[in-house]
Coordinates of all heavy atoms in Angstrom, one line a residue:
Chain R
D279 N 15.8 -43.2 -16.3 CA 17.0 -42.5 -16.6 C 17.1 -41.1 -16.2 O 18.0 -40.3 -16.4 CB 17.4 -42.7 -18.1 CG 16.3 -42.0 -19.0 OD1 15.4 -41.4 -18.4 OD2 16.5 -42.1 -20.2
A280 N 16.0 -40.6 -15.5 CA 15.9 -39.3 -15.0 C 14.8 -39.2 -14.0 O 13.9 -40.0 -14.0 CB 15.7 -38.3 -16.1
V281 N 15.0 -38.2 -13.0 CA 13.9 -38.0 -12.1 C 13.7 -36.5 -11.8 O 14.7 -35.8 -11.5 CB 14.0 -38.9 -10.8 CG1 15.4 -38.9 -10.3 CG2 13.1 -38.4 -9.7
F282 N 12.5 -36.1 -11.9 CA 12.2 -34.7 -11.6 C 11.6 -34.7 -10.2 O 10.6 -35.3 -9.9 CB 11.1 -34.1 -12.5 CG 10.5 -32.9 -12.0 CD1 11.2 -31.8 -11.7 CD2 9.1 -32.8 -11.8 CE1 10.6 -30.6 -11.2 CE2 8.5 -31.7 -11.3 CZ 9.2 -30.6 -11.0
V283 N 12.4 -34.1 -9.3 CA 12.0 -34.1 -7.8 C 11.5 -32.8 -7.5 O 12.1 -31.7 -7.7 CB 13.3 -34.4 -7.0 CG1 12.8 -34.6 -5.5 CG2 14.0 -35.6 -7.5
A284 N 10.3 -32.7 -6.8 CA 9.5 -31.5 -6.7 C 10.1 -30.5 -5.6 O 9.5 -29.5 -5.4 CB 8.1 -31.8 -6.5
S285 N 11.1 -30.9 -5.0 CA 11.8 -29.9 -4.1 C 13.3 -30.2 -3.9 O 13.6 -31.4 -4.0 CB 11.1 -29.8 -2.7 OG 11.6 -30.7 -1.8
D286 N 14.0 -29.2 -3.6 CA 15.5 -29.5 -3.5 C 15.8 -30.3 -2.3 O 16.7 -31.2 -2.3 CB 16.2 -28.1 -3.3 CG 16.3 -27.4 -4.6 OD1 15.9 -27.9 -5.6 OD2 16.7 -26.2 -4.6
A287 N 15.1 -30.2 -1.2 CA 15.3 -31.0 0.0 C 15.1 -32.5 -0.4 O 16.0 -33.3 -0.1 CB 14.4 -30.6 1.1
M288 N 14.0 -32.7 -1.1 CA 13.8 -34.1 -1.5 C 14.9 -34.6 -2.5 O 15.3 -35.7 -2.5 CB 12.4 -34.2 -2.1 CG 11.3 -33.9 -1.2 SD 9.7 -34.6 -1.8 CE 9.4 -33.6 -3.3
A289 N 15.3 -33.7 -3.3 CA 16.3 -34.0 -4.3 C 17.6 -34.4 -3.6 O 18.3 -35.3 -4.1 CB 16.6 -32.9 -5.3
A290 N 17.9 -33.7 -2.5 CA 19.1 -34.1 -1.8 C 19.0 -35.5 -1.3 O 19.9 -36.3 -1.4 CB 19.3 -33.1 -0.6
G291 N 17.8 -35.9 -0.8 CA 17.6 -37.3 -0.4 C 17.7 -38.2 -1.5 O 18.3 -39.3 -1.4
A292 N 17.2 -37.8 -2.7 CA 17.3 -38.7 -3.9 C 18.7 -38.9 -4.3 O 19.1 -40.1 -4.6 CB 16.5 -38.0 -5.0
L293 N 19.5 -37.9 -4.3 CA 20.9 -38.0 -4.6 C 21.6 -39.1 -3.8 O 22.4 -39.9 -4.2 CB 21.7 -36.7 -4.5 CG 21.3 -35.6 -5.6 CD1 22.1 -34.3 -5.3 CD2 21.6 -36.1 -7.0
G294 N 21.3 -39.0 -2.5 CA 21.9 -40.0 -1.5 C 21.5 -41.4 -1.9 O 22.4 -42.3 -2.0
V295 N 20.3 -41.6 -2.1 CA 19.8 -43.0 -2.5 C 20.4 -43.5 -3.8 O 20.8 -44.6 -3.9 CB 18.2 -43.0 -2.5 CG1 17.7 -44.3 -3.1 CG2 17.7 -42.8 -1.1
L296 N 20.4 -42.6 -4.8 CA 21.0 -43.0 -6.1 C 22.4 -43.4 -5.9 O 22.9 -44.4 -6.5 CB 20.9 -41.8 -7.1 CG 19.4 -41.6 -7.5 CD1 19.3 -40.2 -8.3 CD2 18.9 -42.7 -8.5
R297 N 23.1 -42.7 -5.1 CA 24.5 -43.0 -4.9 C 24.7 -44.4 -4.2 O 25.4 -45.2 -4.7 CB 25.2 -41.9 -4.0 CG 26.7 -42.1 -3.9 CD 27.3 -41.1 -2.9 NE 26.9 -39.7 -3.2 CZ 26.3 -39.0 -2.3 NH1 26.0 -39.4 -1.1 NH2 25.9 -37.7 -2.6
E298 N 23.9 -44.5 -3.1 CA 23.9 -45.8 -2.4 C 23.6 -47.0 -3.4 O 24.1 -48.1 -3.2 CB 22.8 -45.8 -1.3 CG 23.3 -45.1 -0.1 CD 22.1 -44.9 0.9 OE1 21.1 -45.6 0.7 OE2 22.1 -43.9 1.7
R299 N 22.6 -46.7 -4.3 CA 22.2 -47.8 -5.1 C 23.1 -48.0 -6.3 O 22.8 -48.7 -7.3 CB 20.8 -47.5 -5.7 CG 19.7 -47.4 -4.5 CD 19.2 -48.8 -4.2 NE 17.9 -48.7 -3.7 CZ 16.8 -49.3 -4.2 NH1 16.9 -49.9 -5.4 NH2 15.6 -49.1 -3.7
G300 N 24.2 -47.2 -6.3 CA 25.2 -47.4 -7.4 C 24.9 -46.7 -8.7 O 25.5 -47.1 -9.7
R301 N 23.9 -45.8 -8.7 CA 23.7 -45.1 -10.0 C 24.5 -43.8 -10.0 O 24.5 -43.1 -9.0 CB 22.2 -44.7 -10.1 CG 21.2 -45.8 -9.8 CD 21.2 -46.9 -10.9 NE 20.3 -47.9 -10.5 CZ 19.1 -48.1 -11.1 NH1 18.8 -47.3 -12.1 NH2 18.3 -49.1 -10.8
T302 N 25.1 -43.5 -11.1 CA 25.8 -42.3 -11.2 C 24.9 -41.2 -11.6 O 23.9 -41.4 -12.3 CB 27.0 -42.3 -12.2 OG1 26.4 -42.6 -13.5 CG2 28.0 -43.5 -11.8
V303 N 25.2 -40.0 -11.1 CA 24.4 -38.8 -11.5 C 25.4 -37.8 -12.1 O 26.4 -37.5 -11.4 CB 23.7 -38.2 -10.3 CG1 23.0 -36.9 -10.7 CG2 22.7 -39.2 -9.7
P304 N 25.2 -37.3 -13.3 CA 24.1 -37.5 -14.2 C 24.3 -38.7 -15.1 O 23.4 -38.9 -16.0 CB 24.0 -36.2 -14.9 CG 25.4 -35.8 -15.0 CD 26.1 -36.3 -13.8
G305 N 25.3 -39.4 -15.0 CA 25.6 -40.5 -16.0 C 24.4 -41.4 -16.2 O 23.7 -41.5 -17.2
D306 N 24.0 -42.2 -15.1 CA 22.9 -43.1 -15.2 C 21.5 -42.4 -15.1 O 20.6 -42.7 -15.9 CB 23.0 -44.2 -14.1 CG 24.3 -45.0 -14.2 OD1 24.8 -45.2 -15.3 OD2 24.8 -45.4 -13.1

Side-chain angles (χ1 to χ4, degrees):
Chain R
D279 62 2
V281 41
F282 163 60
V283 188
S285 86
D286 287 350
M288 296 198 297
L293 290 177
V295 168
L296 288 167
R297 189 187 308 122
E298 282 167 21
R299 298 276 206 116
R301 312 290 178 106
T302 62
V303 175
D306 298 329

